[in-house]
Amino acid sequence: MSSLEQSLQGRDLGHLKILADFWGIEFNPPDTRVGMQRLIPSLLDEKLLNDVIQNLPEDARRAFGEICANDGKMP
């Protein structure tokens, strides 16, 4: 199981829909299990990730860069 799958475990369909909406992904699965199967490949798409990052407000983009530079950990 990938770390993305682990982070989405236990989330309900509403939570997955919020993620999909934020990422601009068309998303209308019948249930949470199918939703995860459909959403995860999109969230792992490098081009989509880069588009989302570039569209973040400057402060959020800077914070994301700091998190990445610190191996996902912040004091």
Side-chain angles (χ1 to χ4, degrees):
M1 179 180 294
S2 73
S3 59
L4 179 58
E5 288 174 289
Q6 288 175 340
S7 70
L8 295 177
Q9 285 297 315
R11 305 296 180 194
D12 64 18
L13 188 55
H15 183 93
L16 299 180
K17 286 181 179 182
I18 291 168
L19 285 173
D21 185 52
F22 179 79
W23 284 66
I25 299 168
E26 188 173 324
F27 187 74
N28 193 20
D31 58 46
T32 304
R33 183 185 61 75
V34 172
M36 283 186 59
Q37 291 173 346
R38 292 180 184 173
L39 187 58
I40 288 172
S42 296
L43 295 177
L44 295 173
D45 180 86
E46 187 175 344
K47 182 185 179 318
L48 180 58
L49 174 62
N50 288 329
D51 288 347
V52 169
I53 292 169
Q54 291 306 311
N55 287 312
L56 289 172
E58 179 61 32
D59 289 343
R61 198 170 41 248
R62 191 173 329 114
F64 181 76
E66 288 180 31
I67 291 169
C68 290
N70 290 291
D71 296 321
K73 301 173 185 165
M74 296 295 291

